[in-house]
């Protein structure tokens, strides 16, 4: 596909997309002659760089504005100016609401991270670029960073049915998520690492009652999570429930691909969660915590057990030490054994779609966006992109670059992170180890050790990479509306566990049967 074919009128399509979704890097010049040259980092003169607007995850860092230090870094390193306005993330909810408003106003960013399957409706309406031919020709580094079999699944997921590529997936070759537990609290209370559910409950009771943080107050929070029953996957993991950041996923139950939210496994897990809540072993504000509030509790030396990305552990360790002076020690929580269930932490090789590109008649903007993609996926650039701006994100000492302590008040958001979305376990550990300062080495050592340990409990689910198109026409199922309502009320004790059967019946009648049919057809086509 040549650029001249890319002109698409967006106004009608964008309005249609907004109605569907609700409000709820680099190509090279087309004139290059040698294919090998396209794989090189093609930086044009810095003064000629085109600016593009990029939206992605930002959990409280400063935006990237024209002429700012990170803007200049990206422009010099990648040959494209990146403008990245601050959009509150909050688990993706606020971000998606703001993105929908921009789409409705015909002000779609040039490149952005989609959420909750919005890429499907955008593709159908011609609002995002068809990357099928553009990536191999203008962004071959992206093309080669993703395994061929993953591109095949992306093509199979094309909502237009043409087998085209409309998004760049994340590719993860290791388990990223696990429950983490305060090893220093276990040691202080002379407790062994729990391996069964009963032992786990005993540990939580000790955390609640025996003042492991030593401040003389009964302020410890044994475990917990966040709003919409999110980020407490460790509670569900022991029952073999496929959960991903609090989103029920598709896996094999009874030999058939089934939505985890409507399984007997989920019913048992919710009953257990409700008991933890009733007994004061789960944070009473679990279903009220946003990210900032929950992180604040973890880093104030109050939380004994939480669930998250293992490779973000160093941030919590460093912030906890900065806030309280305590150098905490966390270990991976093994999946507590529950009779009759095979537990696991969900591993998805397919991370959620990382990037889509705005379809535009502006050939210059489109070329710049593809150029950005190509250069950011050049692995030779990854270490420097991870380091960021000297003096802001890292410092040089004795000839070694070391990351500075996390500081959201001074650091611009490193929104371009292919080293995370398409990296291997070995590469990620190498990045951390090579850039650890003397002051942060204790935290990085914990981090890398726990990354290795987490692999023992990670399982790739059968629905890995499932198409968002299975939810078309059923946005409430995609948004977990009914699940969140019933799960929340069961955990809080407002509903008895028997209400779960009512939830399953309502879910099936409100579109669940059709969505399940589509999911199983997808599984047969892609996996069979």
């Amino acid at each position: 596909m040549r650029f001249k074919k890319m002109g698409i009128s967006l106004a009608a399509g964008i309005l249609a997309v907004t109605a569907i979704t609700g409000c709820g890097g680099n190509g090279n010049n087309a004139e290059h002659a040698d294919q090998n040259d396209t794989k090189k980092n093609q930086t044009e003169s810095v003064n000629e760089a085109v600016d593009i607007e990029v939206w992605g995850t930002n959990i409280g860092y400063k935006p990237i504005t024209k002429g700012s230090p990170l803007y200049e870094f990206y422009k010099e390193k990648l040959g494209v100016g990146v403008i990245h306005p601050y959009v509150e993330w909050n688990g993706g909810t606020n971000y998606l609401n703001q993105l929908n408003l921009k789409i409705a106003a015909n002000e779609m960013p040039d490149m952005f991270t989609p959420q909750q399957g919005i890429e499907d409706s955008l593709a159908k309406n011609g609002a995002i670029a068809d990357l099928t031919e553009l990536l191999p020709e203008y962004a071959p580094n992206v093309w080669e960073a993703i395994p061929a079999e993953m591109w095949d699944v992306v093509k199979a997921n094309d909502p237009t049915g043409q087998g085209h590529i409309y998004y760049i997936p994340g590719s993860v070759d290791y388990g990223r998520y696990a429950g983490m537990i305060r090893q220093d609290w276990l040691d202080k209370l002379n407790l062994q690492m729990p391996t069964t559910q009963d032992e786990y409950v005993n540990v939580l009771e000790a955390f609640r009652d025996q003042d492991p943080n030593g401040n003389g107050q009964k302020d410890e929070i044994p475990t917990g999570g966040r709003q919409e029953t999110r980020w407490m996957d460790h509670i569900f993991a022991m029952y073999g429930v496929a959960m991903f950041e609090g989103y029920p996923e598709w896996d094999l139950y009874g030999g058939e691909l089934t939505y985890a939210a409507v399984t007997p496994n989920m019913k048992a897990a919710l009953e257990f969660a409700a008991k933890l809540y009733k007994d004061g072993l789960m944070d009473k504000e679990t279903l009220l915590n946003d990210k900032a509030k929950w992180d604040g509790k973890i880093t104030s030396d109050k939380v004994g057990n939480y669930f998250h990305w293992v490779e973000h552990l160093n941030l919590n360790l460093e912030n906890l030490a900065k806030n309280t002076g305590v150098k905490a020690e966390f270990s991976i929580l093994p999946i507590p054994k529950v009779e009759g269930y095979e537990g696991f932490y969900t591993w998805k090789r397919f991370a959620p779609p990382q990037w889509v590109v705005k379809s535009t008649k502006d050939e210059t903007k489109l070329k710049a966006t593809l150029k950005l993609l190509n250069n950011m996926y050049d692995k030779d650039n990854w270490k420097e992109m991870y380091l960021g701006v000297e003096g802001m994100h890292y410092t040089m000492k004795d000839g070694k670059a070391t990351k500075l302590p996390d500081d959201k008040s001074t650091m611009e958001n490193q929104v371009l992170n292919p080293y995370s979305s398409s990296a291997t376990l070995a590469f990620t550990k190498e990045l951390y180890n090579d850039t650890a300062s003397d002051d942060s080495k204790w935290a990085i050592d914990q981090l890398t050790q726990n990354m290795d340990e987490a692999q023992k409990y990670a399982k790739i689910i059968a629905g890995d990479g499932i198409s968002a198109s299975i939810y078309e026409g059923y946005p409430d199922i995609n948004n977990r509306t009914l699940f969140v309502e019933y799960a929340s009320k069961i955990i809080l004790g407002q509903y008895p566990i028997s209400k779960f059967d009512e939830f399953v019946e309502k879910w099936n009648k409100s579109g669940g049967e059709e969505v399940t049919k589509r999911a199983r057809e997808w599984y047969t086509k892609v996996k069979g």
Side-chain angles (χ1 to χ4, degrees), residues 236-284:
F236 300 91
M238 60 187 81
Y239 289 92
V241 174
M243 292 279 269
F244 192 79
E245 300 183 359
Y247 291 91
E249 293 287 342
W250 296 83
D251 201 12
L252 296 179
Y253 296 92
E256 290 191 293
L257 192 72
T258 304
Y259 189 51
V262 296
T263 62
N265 305 59
M266 178 64 81
K267 183 177 183 179
L270 287 173
E271 186 173 23
F272 176 61
K275 187 176 188 310
L276 292 181
Y277 187 87
K278 179 181 178 182
D279 293 344
L281 300 178
M282 183 184 292
D283 182 14
K284 288 298 184 183

Side-chain angles (χ1 to χ4, degrees), residues 1-7 363:
M1 179 181 293
R2 300 298 176 189
F3 284 106
K4 64 183 179 181
K5 297 180 182 179
M6 292 301 298
E363 181 177 319

Side-chain angles (χ1 to χ4, degrees), residues 412-464:
E412 294 176 36
N413 189 45
Q414 293 175 270
V415 65
L416 307 180
N417 57 358
Y419 47 82
S420 175
S421 61
S422 300
T424 64
L425 177 62
F427 182 86
T428 304
K429 288 166 54 183
E430 179 184 337
L431 272 183
Y432 280 113
N433 285 324
D434 287 353
T435 59
S437 66
D438 292 340
D439 291 337
S440 67
K441 190 175 186 308
W442 68 279
I444 297 301
D445 285 347
Q446 278 194 54
L447 168 73
T448 54
Q449 179 180 336
N450 282 326
M451 287 177 71
D452 284 332
E453 182 70 14
Q455 305 317 305
K456 297 178 182 178
Y457 313 106
K459 187 195 92 168
I460 297 175
I461 57 174
D464 186 26

Side-chain angles (χ1 to χ4, degrees), residues 1 123 129-133 136 143 148 150-167 467 525-526:
M1 179 181 293
D130 179 349
L131 303 173
T132 315
E133 296 179 22
W143 188 248
M150 296 187 76
W151 285 126
D152 290 342
V153 174
V154 174
K155 291 177 181 178
N157 288 348
D158 175 11
T160 71
Q162 301 179 75
H164 290 184
I165 292 170
Y166 285 96
Y167 66 84
S467 172
K525 178 176 68 172
V526 174

Side-chain angles (χ1 to χ4, degrees), residues 43-50 71-72 75-77 79-81:
T43 21
E44 298 172 358
S45 166
V46 171
N47 293 329
E48 299 173 2
V50 176
Y71 170 92
E72 294 295 342
K75 187 171 74 166
E76 179 180 359
K77 189 67 190 172
V80 178

